[in-house]
């Protein structure tokens, strides 16, 4: 919402301004620079708020130089995290082996579960150890019938669609708290170390946690005909 008179201005919007300043440096067009400057001033007059069950948030621009969020030092997604968690969900179309292995090495608490939802074409980036019951992921992909699309008739139009996972989500639950990251960042080296990306992190308190997220994604239930996803029990064999 727009800041009211006398209301203290939050600095939560500053990462967006930093991203726009980075983009300003990428254009030589004077009009574009002016438009970006105006946008920055307007964004700085906005106070962002979250609604329950969220209690806090951070906007995370990556790959924009000195003002970039240091994702590899993040409390949950960073390279060296000593904290344990109860549940982890990663939804990422594209993968890098070492990024996924980073999460296999994490300390887990009781009643833990690691879940990965990705594209079939990305399964080759996984090692067998990443699916071991003691420290690995349960892996899911969209069913072939969903990816290939189904013929359906709407009025007199016959449509056929092809679709696959596009969302990028990281959800970490510890006790009653959940940290939910959403945006453009895949679980890849390029996203974590090079690309310009923009994510938002919501800190949630309450029943909406990683288990609830998986319940929605696997609705009406894992293994049911209506569920869009199917569990991957074994990785495809490499044809070397």
């Amino acid at each position: 919402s727009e800041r009211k008179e006398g209301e203290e201005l939050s600095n939560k919007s500053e990462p967006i301004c930093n991203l726009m300043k980075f983009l300003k440096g990428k254009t030589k067009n004077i009009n574009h620079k002016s438009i970006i400057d105006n946008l920055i001033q307007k964004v700085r007059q906005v106070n962002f708020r979250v609604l329950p069950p969220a209690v806090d948030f951070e906007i995370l621009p990556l790959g924009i130089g000195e003002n970039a969020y240091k994702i590899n030092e993040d409390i949950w997604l960073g390279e060296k995290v000593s904290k344990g968690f109860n549940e982890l969900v990663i939804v990422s179309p594209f993968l890098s082996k070492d990024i996924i292995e980073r999460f296999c090495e994490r300390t887990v608490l009781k009643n833990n579960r690691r879940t990965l939802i990705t594209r079939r074409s990305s399964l080759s980036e996984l090692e067998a150890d990443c699916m071991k019951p003691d420290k690995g992921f349960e892996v899911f992909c969209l069913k072939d019938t969903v990816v290939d699309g189904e013929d359906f008739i709407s009025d007199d139009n016959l449509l056929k669609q092809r679709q696959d996972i596009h969302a990028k989500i990281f959800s970490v639950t510890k006790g009653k708290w959940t940290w939910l990251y959403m945006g453009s960042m895949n679980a890849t080296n390029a996203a974590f170390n090079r690309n310009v990306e923009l994510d938002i992190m919501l800190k949630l308190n309450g029943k909406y946690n990683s288990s609830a997220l998986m319940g929605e994604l696997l609705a009406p239930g894992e293994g049911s005909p209506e569920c869009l996803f199917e569990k991957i029990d074994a990785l495809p064999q490499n044809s070397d």
Side-chain angles (χ1 to χ4, degrees), residues 75-127:
I75 60 169
W76 294 113
L77 307 187
E79 290 180 288
K80 299 177 181 179
V81 176
S82 59
K83 295 181 178 182
F85 60 83
N86 294 110
E87 188 158 9
L88 168 68
V89 176
I90 298 177
V91 181
S92 179
F94 304 106
L95 307 173
S96 291
K97 290 180 182 179
D98 55 340
I99 298 296
I100 295 301
E101 287 171 357
R102 171 185 301 189
F103 296 104
C104 291
E105 296 166 357
R106 296 288 147 84
T107 302
V108 291
L109 306 176
K110 291 182 179 180
N111 304 318
N112 71 82
R113 184 183 186 187
R114 294 181 178 93
T115 307
L116 172 64
I117 296 178
T118 189
R119 296 182 178 182
R120 290 182 190 276
S121 57
S122 295
L123 293 177
S124 60
E125 289 294 326
L126 296 177
E127 299 285 354

Side-chain angles (χ1 to χ4, degrees), residues 38-239:
N38 289 332
L39 282 173
I40 290 172
Q41 294 306 313
K42 289 181 179 180
V43 169
R44 282 186 171 144
Q45 297 302 313
V46 175
N47 269 349
F48 294 99
R49 299 181 178 88
V50 292
L51 298 175
V55 298
D56 198 8
F57 78 99
E58 296 291 341
I59 296 170
L60 316 176
L62 280 63
I64 63 169
E66 62 180 4
N67 291 318
Y69 180 75
K70 296 178 174 59
I71 191 66
N72 286 310
E73 298 177 14
D74 185 83
I75 60 169
W76 294 113
L77 307 187
E79 290 180 288
K80 299 177 181 179
V81 176
S82 59
K83 295 181 178 182
F85 60 83
N86 294 110
E87 188 158 9
L88 168 68
V89 176
I90 298 177
V91 181
S92 179
F94 304 106
L95 307 173
S96 291
K97 290 180 182 179
D98 55 340
I99 298 296
I100 295 301
E101 287 171 357
R102 171 185 301 189
F103 296 104
C104 291
E105 296 166 357
R106 296 288 147 84
T107 302
V108 291
L109 306 176
K110 291 182 179 180
N111 304 318
N112 71 82
R113 184 183 186 187
R114 294 181 178 93
T115 307
L116 172 64
I117 296 178
T118 189
R119 296 182 178 182
R120 290 182 190 276
S121 57
S122 295
L123 293 177
S124 60
E125 289 294 326
L126 296 177
E127 299 285 354
D129 285 352
C130 288
M131 295 178 66
K132 284 186 176 179
D134 58 336
K135 67 171 186 176
F137 284 88
E138 292 181 277
V139 180
F140 293 85
C141 294
L142 277 173
K143 292 179 178 177
D144 289 337
T145 53
V146 178
V147 175
D148 293 336
E150 296 183 358
D151 292 333
F152 60 97
I153 296 177
S154 174
D155 296 326
D156 57 350
N157 295 320
L158 182 65
L159 305 175
K160 189 174 181 69
Q161 298 178 331
R162 182 175 177 83
Q163 52 200 349
D164 208 333
I165 297 166
H166 183 69
K168 295 95 175 175
I169 300 171
F170 298 79
S171 179
V172 183
T173 296
K174 181 179 181 181
K176 67 177 183 179
W177 295 103
T178 295
W179 291 259
L180 181 65
Y181 302 75
M182 301 177 292
S184 64
M185 181 179 65
N186 279 286
T188 62
N189 277 314
F192 273 62
N193 297 299
R194 297 190 300 276
N195 293 354
V196 176
E197 310 279 1
L198 185 64
D199 272 48
I200 183 170
M201 184 278 292
L202 298 175
K203 186 177 181 181
L204 309 172
N205 181 10
K207 294 182 179 179
Y208 194 85
N209 51 27
S210 300
S211 293
L213 172 63
M214 283 307 303
E216 291 185 3
L217 291 172
L218 298 182
E222 181 183 340
S224 69
E226 294 83 9
C227 181
L228 300 178
F229 298 93
E230 61 184 358
K231 188 174 181 180
I232 305 300
D233 295 316
L235 295 176
Q237 296 295 319
N238 293 326
S239 55

